[in-house]
Amino acid sequence: MKKVFPLLFTLSSLLSFSQSTQNIRGRVIDQQSEAPLPGVNVLSLSGQGAVTDPNGYYVLKEVPVGRVSLTFSFIGYKPLRMENLELTASKELIIHAALRENAEQLAEVTVTASQQKERVQNELVNVSGRTFSIEETQRFAGSVQDVSRMASNFAGVQRANDAQNDIVIRGNSPIGLIWRMEGIDIPNPNHFGGYGATGGPVSMLNNNVLANSDFLTAAFPANYGDGLSGVFDLRLRNGNYEKHEFLGQIGFNGLEFGAEGPISREKKSSYLINYRYSTLGIMSAIGIDFGTGAAIPYYQDLNLKLNFPNRKTGNIQVFALGGISSIDFLESETAEGEDGGFYSDGEDLRNRVRTGVAGISHQYFYGKNTYSKVILAATNTTNLVTIDTLNFDGSLVSPKYKQNFTEQNIQAHAFVNHKFSPRHVLRGGGFVTRKIYNLQDSAYIRAEDRYNKIHDQQSTDMLYQPYVNYQYRPTDRWEMNFGLHSMFLASNENYSIEPRFGASYQLTDQSSLNFGYGVHSQIPIPTILYDQIDLPDGTYIRLNEGLPFTRSNHFVIGYDQMMKYRLHFKAEAYYQYITNAIVERTPSSFSSLNAGGFNTGTPDSVTAGGLGYNYGLDLTLEKFMDKGFYFLSTLSIYQSQYQGSDQVWRNTAFNGNVVFNLLGGKEFLLSKRESEKRNTLTVDGKLTTAGGQRYTPIDLAASITEGEAVYETANAFGAQYTPYFRADIRIGFKQGGKKVTQEWAVDIQNVTNQQNPFGQSYNADAQEVETTYQLGIFPMVLYRITF
């Protein structure tokens, strides 16, 4: 390794040249109709200018590299300014913009452009939304280039634990999160994720191929459904339609290679592809412990997008996401005194996960004010698990459990959007999803030398989700979105009608009040909904197939203020009331609202009678990057309670009560003269503190008597660990050249080596309760090259 870094620096010296210029190109469209806007003035503050062509395309040539700012202006539209975009000599910068038409015809005035970074990409969102850039996922300390870990910095969000990237939004279970990509709902896009989960240890979403995307935390508009807590709405960027460009990267997340470029320069069609393979096996071989003991995680993933724009026949896009992962926690192959991993206590566990998404979309314009979009996609997720037990002396391996869960979805999403005028926009559409389940698992009965089936379900179902949204802007200060979403499940004929409403009012040019309300529903997880009991005559019954949707009412009110020096303040108060949560038929503390909180067991007999509520206040103070400096400070104070079938109100598993984040960084320009290479040094840091994780205590006396862990279920989540604290730091060096840009970075997570509790277990040999702790100090390195 000592010879590698000097070699890389020597390579950079040979390939890099003096600071140069680069092109900026992109397309400008109408935000409400998505029609291209010809004649838009595009200006760089360094002096370069351009005007969009009849198809909305522009190119700024020979812009000096570094941090650049762009202004987009067009008669009758609100001007837009984008600041502190990073331009390197080795890669063209592709910037697309959407301008909003003025609702009122005003007299000639001078208007100062604003960046509007606080507004999300989805024009129907008025409240509880945050857009994020890919640079933020690369820059924020502790994010590990993972969009989920990056989002845990936003107000109202708490990560469940260090080992996984589950997202807890305002006290809700992470299972309530909706993952969407390119307009289609997708399965859990994380390696090693359990069936029904929404997170995992490693994301298969590669941030090198993502475009600016949205993260929503409440009262989301009518085009989202089957979720209770929030939405990750992701977009893949289009490849460069003029120039072939390449990327290589090696770090903790893996070894990867990316390529993009034109398929046809004349038609501006492009490709974008990125492949990654895990390098953790190599890290283990050189002695780096990444928290799983002797177990080595292996994974690989692929991200793809093809773009074929055509004004006459419509824009066609093809996209794909795929990942496979495997990890073995083998106590039988662990040397004496060696840790086999988190899950290897006297067991051999083998886990395999396969996930795939493939889709195609077609957007067609019927004139400049109306367009339709149709998206077809197929998704698949497969979880294969086997667990074997060992004798006390480790001499014999006996089967214990095996699982083969597969879920396939064939989904169509179609909608029509019509802009009557800048004041009136109507969108109507819907989702149709064919769900195919093959859920099989069984437990081994040693006395009878056979497996006993737990689930043996082969089911198909149809889910229909029509929606409509009407946007009304009576003036440039008022905006309202009226929406209606519905869900209908064919197998049990359950349905829901869900009104949605969002509004924003501009108090001044720099401040606004926002309000949102929505009814949101979610289908019970398939292992519960389709659970079946085999009868002696060979038939079966399904006691749970009539379960209604879990239902939630969201209320949000917020205040936004843009201030001097690119400071942004945001405050939101919210209340959420949940009904029809799944609980046990006999009185108990069980509730599905705690699913995902290390509480995966489900009773045999359930009903939908549970309740829950969350309320709180989220505060954000953010300085968007200016002169190389940025910071983000968030504070969330909240309460999260639930009621099981025993009618007792308790804390949920996610009721930490408080979360505080402070992160920031500074970019230092090391090259002082234009004749030198553009070299930068970045230093980023993060501090997080939160209320301790809730847990159900272990009854030690009962556990000693039974010889295994016995929990005080009457006191479910009645105990709380000590407050969580973690500090991260990231240091990066970027060397820019005329044709090659290289970056080296080290990200040290939990730099203070804080011992945060992870969970408790009962040690039958020692007859005591033991606490397991989360990851300690954990350094990760990264090398990236673009050319």
Side-chain angles (χ1 to χ4, degrees), residues 339-580:
D339 182 14
F342 287 141
Y343 310 101
S344 62
D345 187 13
E347 295 179 341
D348 282 0
L349 183 149
R350 295 173 173 85
N351 182 65
R352 307 287 184 269
V353 180
R354 298 193 293 265
T355 302
V357 177
I360 184 170
S361 68
H362 177 257
Q363 185 180 31
Y364 185 78
F365 288 89
Y366 307 86
K368 65 178 184 179
N369 291 323
T370 306
Y371 74 92
S372 65
K373 192 167 188 178
V374 179
I375 312 160
L376 302 175
T379 69
N380 177 88
T381 181
T382 299
N383 292 77
L384 303 172
V385 179
T386 61
I387 302 176
D388 300 319
T389 58
L390 280 67
N391 281 351
F392 290 112
D393 60 2
S395 61
L396 179 66
V397 176
S398 300
K400 179 180 180 181
Y401 175 80
K402 60 181 180 180
Q403 177 192 104
N404 185 347
F405 284 174
T406 299
E407 179 178 342
Q408 298 173 327
N409 291 332
I410 301 173
Q411 187 173 96
H413 177 201
F415 65 89
V416 176
N417 190 95
H418 179 68
K419 177 182 177 181
F420 295 95
S421 71
R423 295 186 179 187
H424 305 277
V425 181
L426 182 67
R427 177 180 296 183
F431 292 79
V432 178
T433 308
R434 178 175 174 81
K435 295 177 171 290
I436 305 170
Y437 302 100
N438 189 352
L439 310 176
Q440 299 180 3
D441 67 338
S442 55
Y444 185 73
I445 302 176
R446 180 176 298 183
E448 301 178 13
D449 191 24
R450 68 177 182 87
Y451 279 96
N452 181 51
K453 293 180 180 179
I454 302 174
H455 298 93
D456 185 9
Q457 306 159 18
Q458 296 181 2
S459 306
T460 60
D461 213 336
M462 295 295 297
L463 177 65
Y464 303 92
Q465 299 182 78
Y467 66 86
V468 63
N469 191 91
Y470 167 58
Q471 184 179 90
Y472 177 50
R473 298 171 59 207
T475 69
D476 280 327
R477 294 195 179 276
W478 267 109
E479 178 184 312
M480 290 174 280
N481 281 284
F482 304 88
L484 191 66
H485 179 276
S486 181
M487 289 205 308
F488 176 79
L489 188 65
S491 63
N492 57 19
E493 299 185 350
N494 280 334
Y495 68 92
S496 66
I497 305 295
E498 305 168 8
R500 314 281 176 86
F501 174 71
S504 60
Y505 178 70
Q506 292 289 136
L507 298 170
T508 68
D509 289 342
Q510 303 298 324
S511 63
S512 66
L513 282 175
N514 311 288
F515 174 77
Y517 166 74
V519 177
H520 306 272
S521 300
Q522 187 168 25
I523 299 171
I525 62 175
T527 51
I528 294 178
L529 184 63
Y530 304 109
D531 190 23
Q532 61 192 41
I533 299 175
D534 295 327
L535 300 177
D537 62 359
T539 62
Y540 62 86
I541 58 174
R542 291 180 173 174
L543 297 178
N544 301 330
E545 65 180 355
L547 287 173
F549 308 148
T550 302
R551 194 173 177 90
S552 173
N553 284 264
H554 288 208
F555 301 86
V556 186
I557 186 169
Y559 173 76
D560 266 82
Q561 173 75 56
M562 287 297 300
M563 298 177 284
K564 292 182 178 179
Y565 312 112
R566 305 198 73 221
L567 284 170
H568 174 222
F569 172 75
K570 183 177 183 178
E572 284 193 348
Y574 62 89
Y575 177 77
Q576 180 184 9
Y577 186 70
I578 304 172
T579 58
N580 289 342

Side-chain angles (χ1 to χ4, degrees), residues 696-705 708-713 762 769:
T696 301
I698 294 176
D699 187 327
L700 181 58
S703 299
I704 293 173
T705 300
E708 61 182 9
V710 177
Y711 292 88
E712 300 177 16
T713 55
Y762 173 66
V769 176

Side-chain angles (χ1 to χ4, degrees), residues 34-85:
E34 297 196 6
L37 292 178
V40 176
N41 292 303
V42 185
L43 179 66
S44 166
L45 292 191
S46 58
Q48 291 74 21
V51 178
T52 57
D53 67 16
N55 292 316
Y57 291 98
Y58 73 92
V59 57
L60 296 174
K61 296 183 178 181
E62 298 183 353
V63 181
V65 298
R67 292 286 174 179
V68 299
S69 298
L70 302 179
T71 299
F72 301 83
S73 59
F74 190 47
I75 296 175
Y77 284 76
K78 294 180 180 298
L80 175 67
R81 182 167 175 173
M82 299 182 180
E83 298 185 328
N84 285 282
L85 306 170

Side-chain angles (χ1 to χ4, degrees), residues 647-760:
Q647 306 297 304
V648 177
W649 284 100
R650 297 179 173 89
N651 293 305
T652 67
F654 313 103
N655 190 21
N657 296 124
V658 62
V659 181
F660 173 73
N661 291 299
L662 176 62
L663 63 153
K666 172 68 176 175
E667 179 183 79
F668 300 91
L669 180 61
L670 303 182
S671 304
K672 300 299 183 182
R673 300 189 304 273
E674 292 187 2
S675 59
E676 296 180 348
K677 306 168 186 176
R678 177 177 166 79
N679 299 334
T680 59
L681 176 70
T682 59
V683 179
D684 303 272
K686 174 186 174 183
L687 292 174
T688 297
T689 184
Q693 178 182 302
R694 303 277 178 175
Y695 68 97
T696 301
I698 294 176
D699 187 327
L700 181 58
S703 299
I704 293 173
T705 300
E706 296 294 330
E708 61 182 9
V710 177
Y711 292 88
E712 300 177 16
T713 55
N715 190 27
F717 307 108
Q720 188 174 21
Y721 293 122
T722 56
Y724 176 93
F725 176 81
R726 176 170 145 172
D728 304 317
I729 189 169
R730 183 184 188 275
I731 301 174
F733 172 74
K734 183 177 290 187
Q735 185 178 63
K738 186 174 182 180
K739 296 184 178 180
V740 176
T741 297
Q742 299 176 89
E743 181 180 3
W744 296 262
V746 57
D747 196 328
I748 305 176
Q749 299 191 53
N750 196 5
V751 67
T752 63
N753 201 29
Q754 178 76 16
Q755 297 299 297
N756 292 303
F758 177 81
Q760 287 190 340

